[in-house]
């Protein structure tokens, strides 16, 4: 399954413009609140130049990059948990995501109305966090109520989950997101089972103007300072520029980026930042039918990586043949790597590295 990330933010911060650029799905975007009425979902390829490099050596019918599934919901406003604006009716759509991308407006433009009348990213972040905490508080209370009756029996598990729910409620009532609590491993597993939005890692996406792409403005600096305190991620992006780039062909896109003084689109940085936030990486398989990137956790061992393709591969794992893309480019093919002893044979304890090209041998 694709990695899932949910986009949240206030109205008019550039959420849907960014979503359009990410997915080319045509989600409506306009200069007024609540333009996004139904949640939009799009599948976004993760840019990875290594795939094209492999294909330059190994002929293949198709190239399949890793993907991120992006869920975009209506802009939230202060009081959403009490029914203001469109309320929190759409938050359920991001409870199953792996990460939250909070788009924060970090540009000044008198022609684009801010729902609170002025640009203040820290205030905006606080507004969104309060609404997410309040939505999670309702969920935590319902979870506690489910365990109250079961905890009266002799089974220890309901008692444990009830205790965690009580601790979670106290935390959320204090305005603190679930991810910031002091949890041991078992407690954290219970919190994750509750599928709370504030338990998910967060990446602040600072939407800037063109000038802000080359150097942080004062708004971005404030967000970075806050993120550093929270252990959150930050990436700067100009949603307007990304939307324009998404409509250009490859040659014009490269020229446009050069004119802006950029080496790559912001979407590539966003994808990498999301992967880093979640502790993920990719490895590659290559053959005549397809060249494909697969997503695995950092630290995954070879059998676990094989299991991403098919569970039978993990159960029957024998060994993996591994090499790197730079070696493939240097020597011109897998046969040359094998002849020179550069195609490594790795066993069950091998820890997969980002960008490894792997062939698996297994028993059916």
């Amino acid at each position: 399954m694709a990695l899932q990330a949910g986009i949240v933010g206030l109205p008019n911060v550039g959420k849907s413009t960014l979503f359009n650029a990410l997915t080319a799905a045509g989600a409506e975007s306009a200069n007024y609140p609540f333009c996004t009425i139904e949640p939009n979902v799009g599948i976004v390829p993760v840019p990875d130049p290594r795939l094209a490099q492999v294909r330059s050596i190994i002929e293949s019918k198709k190239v399949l990059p890793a993907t991120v599934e992006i869920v975009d919901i209506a802009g939230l406003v202060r009081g959403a948990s009490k029914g203001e604006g469109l309320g929190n009716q759409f938050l359920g759509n991001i409870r199953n995501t792996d990460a939250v991308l909070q788009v924060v407006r970090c540009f000044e433009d008198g022609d684009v109305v801010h729902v609170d009348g002025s640009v203040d990213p820290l205030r905006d972040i606080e507004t969104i966090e309060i609404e997410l905490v309040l939505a999670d508080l309702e969920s935590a209370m319902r979870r506690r109520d489910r365990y109250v009756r079961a905890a009266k029996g002799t089974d220890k598990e309901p008692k444990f989950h009830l205790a965690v729910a009580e601790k979670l409620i106290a935390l959320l009532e204090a305005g603190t997101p679930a991810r910031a609590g002091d949890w041991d491993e078992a407690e954290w597993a219970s919190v994750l089972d509750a599928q709370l939005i504030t338990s998910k890692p967060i990446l602040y996406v600072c939407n800037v103007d063109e000038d802000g792409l080359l150097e942080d403005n004062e708004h971005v600096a404030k967000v970075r300072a806050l993120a550093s305190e929270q252990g959150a991620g930050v990436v700067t992006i100009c949603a307007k520029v990304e939307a324009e780039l998404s409509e250009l062909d490859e040659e014009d896109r490269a020229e446009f980026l050069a004119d802006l003084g950029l080496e790559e689109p912001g979407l590539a940085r966003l994808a990498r930042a999301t992967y880093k936030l979640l502790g993920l990486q990719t490895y590659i398989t290559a053959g005549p039918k397809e060249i494909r990137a697969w997503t695995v956790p950092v630290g995954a061992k070879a059998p676990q990586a094989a299991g991403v393709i098919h569970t039978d591969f993990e159960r029957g794992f024998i060994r993996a043949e591994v090499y790197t893309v730079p070696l493939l480019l240097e020597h011109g093919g897998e046969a040359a790597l094998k002849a020179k002893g550069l195609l490594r044979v790795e066993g069950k304890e091998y820890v997969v590295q980002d960008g490894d090209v792997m062939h698996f041998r297994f028993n059916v």
Side-chain angles (χ1 to χ4, degrees):
M1 294 180 63
L3 164 71
Q4 285 191 323
I7 298 180
V8 299
L10 296 175
N12 289 1
V13 298
K15 282 193 318 93
S16 292
T17 302
L18 177 60
F19 178 81
N20 287 351
L22 281 166
T23 66
E28 184 184 5
S29 178
N31 181 23
Y32 54 89
F34 314 126
C35 173
T36 306
I37 302 301
E38 294 296 332
N40 295 290
V41 181
I43 303 296
V44 184
V46 178
D48 191 339
R50 296 173 300 194
L51 297 175
Q53 292 170 350
V54 172
R55 196 179 198 182
S56 70
I57 303 296
I58 299 174
E59 291 188 14
S60 188
K61 291 181 180 179
K62 57 185 176 182
V63 174
L64 298 173
T67 58
V68 177
E69 186 172 290
I70 301 293
V71 181
D72 177 34
I73 66 170
L76 299 175
V77 295
R78 193 178 300 275
S81 59
K82 304 297 183 183
E84 294 295 327
L86 290 174
N88 60 10
Q89 58 184 302
F90 299 119
L91 291 177
N93 293 289
I94 60 173
R95 289 198 182 279
N96 294 324
T97 60
D98 300 295
V100 173
L101 311 181
Q102 183 174 339
V103 182
V104 186
R105 178 171 168 176
C106 292
F107 67 90
E108 301 281 352
D109 187 339
D111 293 330
V112 180
V113 179
H114 190 288
V115 70
D116 285 333
S118 62
V119 177
D120 184 343
L122 297 189
R123 178 200 59 208
D124 295 353
I125 288 172
E126 181 182 23
T127 296
I128 294 298
E129 185 169 279
I130 287 172
E131 298 309 320
L132 297 183
V133 163
L134 290 174
D136 278 352
L137 179 59
E138 290 185 16
S139 296
M141 288 178 169
R142 289 194 296 269
R143 183 175 175 84
R144 175 194 59 190
D145 294 343
R146 286 201 306 271
Y147 282 111
V148 166
R149 179 174 296 180
K152 292 178 181 178
T154 57
D155 191 347
K156 292 182 179 180
E157 185 173 344
K159 298 179 188 295
F160 172 75
H161 289 302
L162 176 60
V164 174
E166 295 282 8
K167 182 177 176 180
L168 186 55
I169 288 169
L171 185 75
L172 295 168
E173 284 180 334
T176 304
R179 75 179 76 86
D182 182 17
W183 310 105
D184 63 28
E185 185 176 348
E187 288 174 329
W188 183 238
S190 179
V191 172
L192 292 180
D193 184 60
Q195 292 188 317
L196 302 179
I197 301 171
T198 64
S199 69
K200 304 178 188 304
I202 190 165
L203 176 69
Y204 294 116
V205 183
C206 295
N207 187 15
V208 299
D209 54 21
E210 290 186 19
D211 292 339
L213 287 173
L214 298 178
E215 185 177 355
D216 285 354
N217 60 36
E218 61 176 336
H219 297 312
V220 175
K222 291 178 181 178
V223 176
R224 287 195 188 279
L226 176 66
S228 178
E229 294 174 5
Q230 297 179 342
V234 179
V235 63
T236 57
I237 202 167
C238 178
K240 183 179 178 181
V241 165
E242 298 303 321
E244 293 174 5
L245 283 169
S246 69
E247 298 177 356
L248 301 176
D249 59 33
E250 189 170 345
E251 184 176 342
D252 290 340
R253 190 181 301 124
E255 184 177 344
F256 188 21
L257 286 169
D259 289 343
L260 292 172
L262 302 174
E263 295 182 357
E264 62 179 358
L267 301 187
R269 298 195 307 277
L270 178 59
R272 281 200 302 273
T274 304
Y275 265 60
K276 181 179 179 181
L277 182 72
L278 293 169
L280 298 174
Q281 62 184 5
T282 57
Y283 75 88
I284 300 167
T285 55
K289 290 185 178 180
E290 67 179 31
I291 295 168
R292 184 165 182 169
W294 302 86
T295 302
V296 293
V298 172
K301 294 184 178 180
Q304 183 182 353
V308 173
I309 301 175
H310 197 286
T311 53
D312 287 348
F313 285 24
E314 183 171 5
R315 285 196 295 265
F317 179 89
I318 299 173
R319 65 180 183 276
E321 297 173 350
V322 186
Y323 61 86
T324 65
V325 175
L327 279 177
L328 179 69
L329 296 175
E330 180 182 349
H331 296 280
E334 291 182 343
L337 292 177
K338 185 174 292 188
K340 296 177 181 180
L342 297 174
L343 196 153
R344 308 192 317 272
V345 176
E346 302 288 359
K348 292 182 178 181
E349 295 303 311
Y350 176 69
V351 177
V352 178
Q353 302 300 305
D354 185 57
D356 276 349
V357 184
M358 307 184 75
H359 295 292
F360 297 106
R361 302 291 182 237
F362 61 97
N363 290 316
V364 178

